[in-house]
Amino acid sequence: MIEFFSQILNGLVIGNVYALVAIGFSLIFGVTNLINFAQGSLLMFGAFLAYTGVNLGLPLGVAVIASILGTTLLGMAIERIALRPLENAPWIAPLLSTLALTFMLDQAAEIIWTPEAHRFPSPFSNYSWVVGAAYITGVDIAILILSLIIMVGLWWFLTHTWSGRALRAMSQDLDAARQMGVPTDRLRQLAFGLGAALAAIAGVMVAMYYQNLYPQMGVPFGLKGFTAALLGGLASIPGAVVGGLLLGVLEALAVGYVGEGFRDMVAFGLLLLILTVRPQGLLGDKRLDALGGSRGASGVMPSTSIMIGQGGQPLMTGRPLTIPYGWLAAGVAVLALLPLVGLSDYIVQVGLVIVIFALLSVGLTMLSGAAGIMFLGFAGFFGVGAYVAALAAKMWGVPAEFAFVLAAVSTAILAAFVGLLCSSLTGHVVGLATLAMGVLIWLMLLNWTDVTGGPNGIFGIPRPRLLVAPGVSMSSLAAQYWQALALLVLAIFAAGRFLASPVGRSWRAIREDRVAAHAAGLPVRRYLVTSFALAGACAGLAGGAFAFLHRFISPDSFRLDSSFLMVAIIVLGGLGNLTGALIGAVLLLVLPEVLRDFADYRMILFGAILYLTLRFRPQGIAGVR
């Protein structure tokens, strides 16, 4: 019983931190109808600014105030410089832009403060008391009191000041508020500033609670804050508080009675459950989806409506979809000669990595580009394929053909199941649900130690051997390169046939207007599940090639930044365009190699390319199909 009360108290303490982050999400979403993925990175920056102030000799309180001011200005700058130009763009553009900003800010923090964890001063940790059956520290008391003061102050601001009431009016009807003369641009920036300030305070609280901080802390805490906001109702500030406290308690109970490794699985499992069962949250409006879409087979908005150009005209044309097989054949021929022209193994290995990511891009083109499901956690499928192939080769000694088939079939089955869960979701919901799924798969790979090896991964994966040609050695890099290239050619040919077939036309009809497609009698769910399964098969093949290349895999290879790279590739190339996906894969993987002296800026480069593409050429290099 004593342990139970202690876990509840711990949950309420960290739940208050989640609540502050969740309130920031709710404020920004209520005013702008935008999910600001950069909120987690602002939390991280706020903590590091306070840490820097303390190291410069400032008292902790002064350092925290300076941190809040600096983070507030950063949040307002993000709104003014990066997001306001995309105000009238389709929803996917600002969503992906904030995701790009997240990775740019995180890598900038690694460059400024190094990737290692840093110890944060926590003077309140020297005090502790036993209250009833629970153990409480000075940090717990400080977080609880400060959170309560901030929440009461925010409530007073929103209910008793003109700006607060104007923000509430904007959240209820933006057009009406604008017609009444409310300065919506200024108040929109104010909402971002308030959200950033709350994130900075939460970041300092997290650093004090755990007594350390690190550059990658923003993404998990940002996603947990979003989970809390969604749990209570994304447009509801009281719901954000309730959701934060509830999430904190559930996490603490999971840690106390199941294990530390399940803390994050509770949060992201809960996020996926809410998105698929009750996306409006506990206190949200039952009549509406709080994320801007509606549930049900028909949906109301296309998931990749970046298909609408900046001028408001559809980028789709009436021309039939054709794949430039002549150019593709020439490109494949050039690639096939790569190991034969005396180039170093390093260049051949880079070519093999490009082929692997091109294979991933083919699958994601069918799913996100053609079918309209913006999958933000595709690295999860990539990881499943790699682990299945590695286990098949190492534990069972199967030939390469069987290992690739097992990886493709296993990943396709998993992807089809995910498709069943997500096929009734649209808009923001489906993107966030797939992101949660990708994180959950990564957590499974990280924590299922008996099978995956946990953080240590799987070593000594044997080189593939061919059943159909037992005398052919597959131990050389060139042989693996040609094998992966053959898989890519097969995937391009199959995907091209699907995209040009009635199935592909049905995918694009669903993407452009799911309501009309459903009304026309198309079996929407069946077509979407098919796209998931085919994309999963491509990811499984790519994962197998990746495992055989490196002979070692670990969960670190399948984190969110890999998913981000895949999304950047297909957006840069042009959604639904196979040729564009291949061009995007080559550009985004060759460019960092050309700029190896700037390798530390890799994610900043990817983020900048993705943002500039969304800002100035949303149809991508090769155009949208």
Side-chain angles (χ1 to χ4, degrees), residues 78 121 155 172 187 323 350 418 420 438 444 471 477 506 519 532 598:
I78 288 174
W155 169 81
Q172 294 174 10
L187 290 173
I323 307 298
V350 171
V418 175
L420 283 174
M444 180 196 70
L477 185 61
S506 298
F532 269 90
F598 303 94

Side-chain angles (χ1 to χ4, degrees), residues 228-476:
L230 189 62
L231 178 59
L234 190 53
S236 169
I237 291 179
V241 176
V242 172
L245 296 176
L246 182 57
L247 177 60
V249 170
L250 290 175
E251 274 195 4
L253 291 176
V255 171
Y257 294 99
V258 183
E260 177 66 32
F262 289 86
R263 176 192 294 273
D264 292 338
M265 295 190 75
V266 167
F268 294 108
L270 188 60
L271 173 58
L272 183 63
L273 180 64
I274 299 165
L275 286 168
T276 54
V277 176
R278 189 181 172 85
Q280 74 271 18
L282 297 177
L283 302 182
D285 189 340
K286 295 181 180 180
R287 299 167 297 172
L288 299 172
D289 177 348
L291 293 178
S294 73
R295 303 180 65 238
S298 59
V300 296
M301 59 190 297
S303 289
T304 51
S305 52
I306 200 170
M307 307 304 152
I308 304 300
Q310 289 177 305
Q313 298 300 318
L315 298 172
M316 297 280 294
T317 70
R319 295 175 301 161
L321 177 65
T322 57
I323 307 298
Y325 286 110
W327 286 104
L328 288 176
V332 169
V334 172
L335 290 174
L337 295 174
L338 193 62
L340 301 177
V341 293
L343 299 176
S344 66
D345 286 349
Y346 168 75
I347 294 179
V348 176
Q349 181 168 331
V350 171
L352 179 50
V353 172
I354 292 173
V355 169
I356 290 171
F357 274 85
L359 186 52
L360 288 165
S361 302
V362 169
L364 200 55
T365 293
M366 289 187 285
L367 180 58
S368 295
I373 300 294
M374 183 52 72
F375 204 111
L376 300 179
F378 201 61
F381 291 163
F382 182 35
V384 170
Y387 273 89
V388 169
L391 291 171
K394 184 173 183 178
M395 305 299 294
W396 308 320
V398 302
E401 297 95 331
F402 289 168
F404 279 114
V405 168
L406 280 174
V409 172
S410 300
T411 313
I413 292 173
L414 174 62
F417 174 73
V418 175
L420 283 174
L421 294 177
C422 297
S423 60
S424 61
L425 305 176
T426 58
H428 295 78
V429 180
V430 68
L432 296 167
T434 55
L435 184 147
M437 179 59 69
V439 175
L440 279 173
I441 293 173
W442 177 77
L443 289 170
M444 180 196 70
L445 298 177
L446 184 67
N447 291 298
W448 198 1
T449 308
D450 293 340
V451 175
T452 65
N456 296 323
I458 299 177
F459 292 88
I461 301 170
R463 296 296 190 192
R465 59 183 179 85
L466 294 177
L467 181 64
V468 297
V472 177
S473 173
M474 296 299 294
S475 60
S476 70

Side-chain angles (χ1 to χ4, degrees), residues 108-120:
E110 289 188 7
I111 295 170
I112 297 171
W113 290 289
T114 74
E116 289 77 23
H118 302 266
R119 184 169 180 79
F120 191 86

